[in-house]
Amino acid sequence: MLRFFLLLLLLGAPAALPAPRHRRGAAPPTGTYLTRYLRQQVDHFGFDEDLTFQQRYLIADQYWRRDNGPILFYTGNEGDITWFCNNTGFMWDVAEELNAMLVFAEHRYYGESLPFGNESFSDSKHLNYLTSEQALADFAVLIEYLKTTTAGARYSPVIAIGGSYGGMLAAWFRMKYPHVVVGALAASAPIWQFGDLVPCGTYFSIVTNDFRKSGTGCAESIRNSWNAINNLSLTDAGLQWLSNTFLLCSPLKSPQDAVLMKNWLSETWVNLAMVNYPYKADFLQPLPAWPIQEACKFLKDPSLPDKLLLQNVFQAVNLYYNYSGAVPCLDMSETATKNLGQMGWYYQACTEMVMPMCTDGVNDMFEPQKWDFDVLSEECYRLWRVRPRPSWILSMYGGKNISSHSNIIFSNGGLDPWSAGGVTQNISDSLVAIVIPDGAHHLDLRSRNPLDPKSVQQARALEICYMKQWIKEARHSH
């Protein structure tokens, strides 16, 4: 879901699918784990085919109490599970305190868990089993397998934990399989970014506010940069100037290339908003603490002439792509880690993960772009020969009608654009919203850090308190 923004770009830029991303650095291992595999049904909901595949999962039981101690189960999302394992330090931090086993389950069609090997993305027939429902069924089968094959785990209470799309899965897992997991921590989970549940422009308004609050003239400079690029892209000399100024690996050859450049810049600003962490981090790219503030130091004067303005924009962008100083040129096909499986997510966003988004250029710093489902549908049909079903997620998981469920924590960061579609107010005593004003994208799931704002420290403490309560209640039921 970190890659969802590119689906919006498809509406304005035909054939905008990028090449695979290249990882600039890996997060250090958080803890010691074992890598294992479980044979899963390709189709849990039909009986005509009996195809299977190997689902990868990671397990760490060094802190687990072997008489039905709890299991913290990470509901893997759109990427390599080892990357999510290494970026979810919260689970490692609390494992000893809770005497918990940690399990990180890889989502089908991502990482090594490919149902049809190299053919998994060859066509829509092979991709037909890439759905959230099938993934949740994988998780349920895996937990049952662990409970029946691991001595001392038969009555272990299981808590689902996930961030972003994984957070959505954690919440939906508790809703659909309450007999399997006793509760869920859904961090930065935009379960309401569907249909007309939330305004389509809120996401980009939050991004803009992050930049506006981080420096005078910053958001305005970015808003003015689009016309500056448009003006320069009218001539070959202007395109060459843009290519040289932004140190592009592949020079711009046409106005259409300039459109792709604007899309690339837009995604860069969005990514900065998601990873606006209070300390140096290497999640999507190696970045300094509070990277938006650092970027905004270059964007103080929106009234500058086109070339001077764009030279400043380059400095801000270069901070994101070349903070290490080791990158010889900027590749517009690279915006984040290759550990995210963008092809799989494109397909999901073209089928059931239809999240309306739009910009107006007034309440946000981006060029106006209406949400146009018909254009999206045609683009998805061109790419995959499938049509999106925009209301299916609402039918499957209930939209805002979820008050009958229980034991779910929805945490959202005030700086995170995905909070636009998140649950930010309590629904009941056990459907609890935790808002972290100083938090970016699932900051609470990252490892503890001395530079953590007090708001995220308090959020984690409250999350642990709820988890202990769920564990206690589960033990009393057996």
Side-chain angles (χ1 to χ4, degrees):
M1 192 182 61
L2 294 168
R3 313 264 356 127
F4 177 78
F5 177 69
L6 286 176
L7 253 294
L8 182 68
L9 304 187
L10 291 178
L11 304 184
L17 283 176
R21 274 41 174 161
H22 302 286
R23 183 67 166 137
R24 295 189 185 277
T30 306
T32 303
Y33 57 78
L34 298 176
T35 301
R36 294 179 180 169
Y37 298 83
L38 178 66
R39 187 167 295 280
Q40 292 274 13
Q41 295 290 136
V42 170
D43 183 8
H44 290 286
F45 305 111
F47 297 88
D48 185 57
E49 294 181 351
D50 195 30
L51 301 174
T52 61
F53 74 100
Q54 295 277 31
Q55 179 190 21
R56 179 170 58 159
Y57 65 99
L58 316 176
I59 188 167
D61 62 1
Q62 52 266 47
Y63 297 117
W64 183 52
R65 192 177 64 208
R66 298 179 181 277
D67 56 340
N68 297 308
I71 298 172
L72 304 184
F73 187 93
Y74 186 88
T75 47
N77 32 328
E78 74 284 21
D80 188 301
I81 193 59
T82 61
W83 184 67
F84 290 111
C85 172
N86 292 336
N87 279 282
T88 311
F90 170 75
M91 289 175 61
W92 295 92
D93 290 343
V94 303
E96 186 172 9
E97 180 179 352
L98 299 180
N99 300 124
M101 176 193 300
L102 303 183
V103 178
F104 296 84
E106 190 160 67
H107 193 299
R108 56 172 54 206
Y109 287 87
Y110 295 103
E112 295 182 6
S113 301
L114 303 177
F116 299 101
N118 293 335
E119 296 296 310
S120 296
F121 298 95
S122 58
D123 54 39
S124 58
K125 180 179 179 181
H126 289 88
L127 280 162
N128 192 48
Y129 308 99
L130 174 50
T131 66
S132 61
E133 299 90 335
Q134 297 278 8
L136 294 180
D138 289 338
F139 298 156
V141 169
L142 173 55
I143 289 172
E144 183 60 25
Y145 168 80
L146 291 173
K147 285 193 166 190
T148 56
T149 60
T150 306
R154 189 70 192 104
Y155 299 107
S156 290
V158 181
I159 296 173
I161 298 177
S164 199
Y165 171 49
M168 299 162 75
L169 292 171
W172 292 337
F173 198 21
R174 170 61 184 171
M175 294 178 192
K176 291 296 183 180
Y177 295 86
H179 57 292
V180 176
V181 291
V182 301
L185 169 54
S188 298
I191 64 168
W192 288 347
Q193 192 71 45
F194 296 93
D196 59 358
L197 297 184
V198 297
C200 63
T202 305
Y203 179 98
F204 290 99
S205 294
I206 295 174
V207 176
T208 301
N209 287 335
D210 288 349
F211 282 82
R212 185 177 291 127
K213 291 184 296 185
S214 296
T216 302
C218 190
E220 293 78 7
S221 294
I222 293 172
R223 181 184 285 119
N224 292 348
S225 72
W226 311 123
N227 276 336
I229 294 172
N230 292 341
N231 294 336
L232 285 162
S233 66
L234 294 175
T235 66
D236 290 342
L239 290 169
Q240 186 63 48
W241 185 90
L242 287 170
S243 302
N244 293 339
T245 300
F246 281 83
L247 298 179
L248 299 181
C249 300
S250 298
L252 305 178
K253 299 293 187 183
S254 68
Q256 179 60 28
D257 287 346
V259 172
L260 296 179
M261 176 184 177
K262 289 189 292 184
N263 293 342
W264 169 68
L265 291 173
S266 295
E267 189 182 357
T268 302
W269 308 134
V270 167
N271 285 348
L272 273 168
M274 284 195 294
V275 296
N276 194 27
Y277 296 133
Y279 45 76
K280 286 186 178 182
D282 179 15
F283 185 51
L284 299 181
Q285 296 278 8
L287 290 170
W290 298 118
I292 291 183
Q293 289 184 15
E294 296 301 313
C296 285
K297 290 178 180 178
F298 300 105
L299 302 172
K300 296 180 178 180
D301 188 355
S303 65
L304 288 171
D306 289 351
K307 288 188 175 181
L308 290 177
L309 177 64
L310 291 176
Q311 285 172 346
N312 289 343
V313 169
F314 164 72
Q315 294 294 334
V317 168
N318 197 50
L319 176 88
Y320 179 79
Y321 292 105
N322 195 21
Y323 180 59
S324 65
V327 178
C329 62
L330 304 190
D331 188 340
M332 292 197 306
S333 71
E334 298 182 11
T335 59
T337 168
K338 70 175 183 178
N339 289 302
L340 292 171
Q342 71 268 21
M343 293 302 290
W345 186 253
Y346 285 138
Y347 176 82
Q348 288 189 264
C350 273
T351 50
E352 62 177 3
M353 295 295 164
V354 184
M355 302 182 184
M357 290 187 178
C358 60
T359 55
D360 62 15
V362 177
N363 297 299
D364 56 65
M365 62 186 188
F366 299 90
E367 287 191 299
Q369 177 68 68
K370 293 182 178 179
W371 172 253
D372 192 329
F373 174 77
D374 292 335
V375 172
L376 175 67
S377 180
E378 290 302 317
E379 187 64 17
C380 291
Y381 188 77
R382 183 186 72 82
L383 291 168
W384 305 110
R385 291 295 185 266
V386 296
R387 299 284 186 186
R389 298 178 186 173
S391 62
W392 174 242
I393 287 292
L394 302 177
S395 299
M396 172 57 58
Y397 300 115
K400 290 192 174 182
N401 185 21
I402 60 174
S403 59
S404 62
H405 301 295
S406 65
N407 291 8
I408 304 174
I409 301 167
F410 297 97
S411 64
N412 282 281
L415 305 179
D416 181 17
W418 286 111
S419 66
V423 180
T424 55
Q425 293 185 336
N426 291 353
I427 297 173
S428 69
D429 290 343
S430 64
L431 294 178
V432 179
I434 298 177
V435 176
I436 306 165
D438 307 307
H441 201 48
H442 50 66
L443 174 62
D444 51 326
L445 293 191
R446 295 181 62 81
S447 297
R448 293 176 181 136
N449 189 292
L451 297 176
D452 278 330
K454 189 172 182 179
S455 60
V456 75
Q457 297 175 18
Q458 293 171 333
R460 291 188 186 120
L462 190 54
E463 290 162 359
I464 294 170
C465 182
Y466 276 106
M467 289 194 289
K468 287 180 176 178
Q469 178 182 323
W470 297 339
I471 294 167
K472 182 179 178 180
E473 291 171 352
R475 287 205 177 113
H476 287 164
S477 67
H478 289 289

